[in-house]
Amino acid sequence: MEQRTAQIERNTLETQINVNINLDGTGKSSFDTGVPFLEHMLDQIARHGLIDIEVVAKGDLQIDAHHTVEDVGITLGQAFAKAVGDKKGLVRYGHAYIPLDEALSRVVVDFSGRPGLVYDVKFPRSTIGSFDVDLFREFFQGFVNHAGITLHIDNLKGTNAHHVAETIFKAMGRALRMAAALDPRMAGMMPSTKGSL
């Protein structure tokens, strides 16, 4: 089977980003973004999604991490859109519930071709270390807009902000892994009654 890979470069006055992904990988990851907690979360997507991900980003971190986090989401979304290709034979839908101690989150994905984000997450505090948790929404919004997916993220329980974030990103990896899988019974077929996605 030919592996589904993509390499995307995005350069703006605020950020310079290079992303490589392999949807049929083993969960290897390499990150150099200057935002350690984002890297920790991206590693969850790679590891639990069995997706190889490399991200190198240089951004205006002297201002704050907003542009870097958002633009990594955008570039990663573009890479996913390219790697899934025409979507023939795709499972298309994926979901996961992931617990971590007291925290529990659910993520549901549809490679619908239509960007949509429903994000119901209330963090118990506004920062994790120096990371502003508001930036997670910006990351996911950028991702769905450019991956062309519908994404529902619900944190169901959790009192530890780190645990809440980690359950979301682990569930994201698992849901993407399920949705991006190829279904041998659907080989060559579009998973939609419309005939296109």
Side-chain angles (χ1 to χ4, degrees):
M1 180 184 76
E2 186 177 326
Q3 293 193 321
R4 296 168 296 165
T5 63
Q7 187 274 326
I8 300 290
E9 188 173 314
R10 174 183 167 86
N11 293 302
T12 73
L13 294 176
E14 298 167 339
T15 62
Q16 298 80 50
I17 299 173
N18 194 292
V19 169
N20 284 280
I21 68 167
N22 179 357
L23 295 182
D24 304 303
T26 59
K28 293 184 297 185
S29 64
S30 172
F31 306 112
D32 181 8
T33 68
V35 187
F37 196 73
L38 175 65
E39 295 176 8
H40 180 45
M41 293 299 102
L42 293 174
D43 190 41
Q44 306 307 319
I45 293 177
R47 187 77 50 94
H48 295 279
L50 292 179
I51 301 163
D52 295 344
I53 304 176
E54 295 177 18
V55 179
V56 176
K58 300 203 181 319
D60 53 2
L61 296 178
Q62 74 280 6
I63 297 172
D64 72 3
H66 187 288
H67 298 140
T68 301
V69 173
E70 180 179 26
D71 288 5
V72 166
I74 288 169
T75 313
L76 192 61
Q78 291 171 333
F80 265 83
K82 184 176 178 182
V84 296
D86 66 9
K87 302 178 189 171
K88 286 183 180 174
L90 210 63
V91 170
R92 176 178 169 178
Y93 301 103
H95 63 274
Y97 285 82
I98 296 292
L100 175 56
D101 297 342
E102 88 300 342
L104 175 66
S105 294
R106 173 182 61 218
V107 173
V108 184
V109 173
D110 176 9
F111 278 96
S112 61
R114 299 181 304 280
L117 174 65
V118 178
Y119 182 83
D120 187 6
V121 180
K122 296 171 183 66
F123 281 97
R125 55 191 163 102
S126 61
T127 59
I128 302 172
S130 61
F131 188 89
D132 178 356
V133 298
D134 286 348
L135 297 183
F136 286 132
R137 178 185 274 278
E138 303 306 319
F139 170 85
F140 289 118
Q141 190 68 66
F143 182 83
V144 302
N145 286 350
H146 293 269
I149 67 170
T150 301
L151 179 64
H152 287 248
I153 300 174
D154 296 283
N155 173 244
L156 306 175
K157 297 177 183 178
T159 56
N160 180 299
H162 189 134
H163 291 174
V164 168
E166 200 161 320
T167 58
I168 289 167
F169 278 84
K170 286 178 175 176
M172 177 77 162
R174 284 282 177 164
L176 286 169
R177 175 177 165 186
M178 182 186 293
L182 294 171
D183 182 347
R185 294 178 64 200
M186 287 287 292
M189 291 190 290
M190 188 64 68
S192 171
T193 55
K194 292 182 179 67
S196 67
L197 285 172

